[in-house]
Amino acid sequence: MIGALALAVTLAAYVASLRLRAYHRAAYTTPVLVSVALVLAALAAIRLPLESYESGQRPLTSLLVPACAALGVTCYRQRVFLWANGRAIAGALAVGTTVAIGSAYLLSRSVGLPRAIADVEALKSVTTPVAIQLAAVVNVEPELVVAFVIATGMTGATLGPLVLSMLRVKDAIARGVALGTISHGIGTAQAASESDVSGAASSLAMCVVAVVLATLGAPLLAAMHR
Amino acid sequence: MKRATATYAASAGIAASANEASSRARAFATLVGQLALLWAIGAIANAIVSRTHLPIPGNAVAMLGTFALLSANVVRLEHVDRAATFLVRHLTVFFVPYAVGIAALWGTIAPHALQSLFVLVTSALLGVAATGWTAQRLRRHA
């Protein structure tokens, strides 16, 4: 009973966040951000403890499994695009993820962040459904990873286009690849609002990064700490 | 005569709405069926990973596996496209519960919040810059 109520809270908050986004589109009206704020407010209002809330969310979070298969479908839809721009996309992904992960590690070290947080900083560009499972590979809480992943998405989506324009990156495909590589789904939404080509490039980059970081990045991190 | 026309119009209206309802029901059934198919692919991928103890997220294998099944024509796009569009459009709602859970972990992050944010923003933007710049160069010289 409490489980059903908790689930209803999430769904109601999400629907409300979509309404707000339709009414006013801005970085701070990103559905996930608004949903979380609304859920936390609702839990405080009805005095439902966080543990009871979480126990009701299984039906929703279990949908992450087919959702990842669905991302494979997204990737397949862009296959012609992938073959046509394979070299540029692969090269940009290799350089971009190396810079993102390398700088995250070096900066984490230099400001003295604990190892667990440094790992999360390194993996923060992966799409959330994959990130949740990556957490288990490097042995940190999934909630921590999700928070960093969402923050990265929002950072790239809001400031990324400015940085790209400053560097005179005008090519639609290049802009899309950059946003999708670093800011996954949230960046893809931003890229799609710039142009269809950018959106396609971005969703493709997001899928490839998820697979590359999951198959190479995480096992590498896990091995380093053994 | 007039009355007959009115009755006809009314019954046509009812027939139309019944038709609409049944096509909606059919669309819903298709969606559920396609969801089940994607779920099965994902579940199998996750099962393979947990059986073989691969240090890879099962969901990444689900993504790759779906791409491979579509490329090999084992699964056709029209078997999964509606459910895929639906799931990707509403992807964010599935991780709202995790994002809410961060409130419970706030105690662990709070002492490092500023440094974490600094590292996050700087490395993300360096990554965006490096990716975009490289992609544009490679495309010009392609």
Side-chain angles (χ1 to χ4, degrees):
Chain A
M1 190 54 220
I2 287 180
L5 174 69
L7 189 59
V9 167
T10 310
L11 294 177
Y14 179 66
V15 171
S17 76
L18 290 184
R19 284 275 168 86
L20 178 65
R21 187 173 180 71
Y23 177 73
H24 183 74
R25 207 183 230 324
Y28 54 85
T29 60
T30 305
V32 65
L33 200 67
V34 175
S35 298
V36 170
L38 289 176
V39 168
L40 288 175
L43 295 186
I46 60 174
R47 296 173 188 230
L48 189 68
L50 207 56
E51 300 84 63
S52 325
Y53 166 77
E54 283 177 333
S55 68
Q57 310 301 317
R58 273 298 289 170
L60 197 60
T61 51
S62 63
L63 277 171
L64 281 169
V65 171
C68 278
L71 286 175
V73 178
T74 302
C75 205
Y76 179 76
R77 282 194 187 123
Q78 311 296 342
R79 68 195 178 284
V80 179
F81 198 79
L82 177 65
W83 306 145
N85 299 284
R87 218 175 64 101
I89 293 175
L93 279 182
V95 174
T97 46
T98 307
V99 168
I101 294 177
S103 63
Y105 244 113
L106 293 177
L107 287 169
S108 297
R109 273 279 183 86
S110 63
V111 299
L113 285 177
R115 205 208 78 201
I117 296 185
D119 281 352
V120 179
E121 292 274 12
L123 296 171
K124 68 188 183 304
S125 282
V126 79
T127 180
T128 318
V130 176
I132 288 166
Q133 291 187 327
L134 273 182
V137 179
V138 294
N139 213 1
V140 292
E141 288 90 343
E143 287 82 1
L144 196 63
V145 183
V146 172
F148 277 62
V149 165
I150 293 170
T152 306
M154 294 185 56
T155 304
T158 51
L159 302 176
L162 299 176
V163 171
L164 289 170
S165 297
M166 264 163 52
L167 289 171
R168 296 202 187 83
V169 177
K170 289 173 186 154
D171 181 66
I173 292 181
R175 290 179 74 94
V177 171
L179 292 177
T181 301
I182 303 302
S183 290
H184 46 89
I186 303 176
T188 299
Q190 170 64 34
S193 76
E194 287 190 0
S195 77
D196 286 350
V197 178
S198 285
S202 183
S203 63
L204 189 61
M206 166 180 84
C207 293
V208 180
V209 166
V211 170
V212 170
L213 278 187
T215 51
L216 298 175
L220 209 68
L221 279 181
M224 270 168 58
H225 297 313
R226 204 166 284 151
Chain B
M1 188 63 215
K2 206 174 186 183
R3 204 168 143 201
T5 329
T7 326
Y8 175 74
S11 65
I14 290 167
S17 70
N19 237 345
E20 197 177 298
S22 85
S23 80
R24 263 201 196 168
R26 221 174 301 137
F28 184 71
T30 312
L31 183 68
V32 172
Q34 295 194 353
L35 271 176
L37 179 59
L38 286 176
W39 203 317
I41 296 171
I44 291 169
N46 276 289
I48 292 173
V49 168
S50 66
R51 278 280 175 82
T52 52
H53 302 288
L54 287 171
I56 303 171
N59 281 345
V61 177
M63 235 167 97
L64 265 182
T66 309
F67 184 83
L69 288 173
L70 285 164
S71 303
N73 247 329
V74 178
V75 175
R76 297 240 298 273
L77 195 55
E78 62 263 34
H79 295 153
V80 288
D81 59 349
R82 284 192 187 197
T85 305
F86 175 80
L87 285 169
V88 173
R89 183 176 300 154
H90 297 294
L91 199 57
T92 47
V93 72
F94 307 128
F95 43 81
V96 164
Y98 290 94
V100 168
I102 195 66
L105 284 176
W106 186 240
T108 20
I109 323 176
H112 311 287
L114 268 182
Q115 292 97 314
S116 301
L117 193 65
F118 163 73
V119 175
L120 187 144
V121 172
T122 315
S123 64
L125 294 181
L126 283 174
V128 168
T131 317
W133 187 80
T134 314
Q136 181 159 284
R137 273 194 77 95
L138 286 173
R139 275 177 46 74
R140 271 189 197 152
H141 298 280

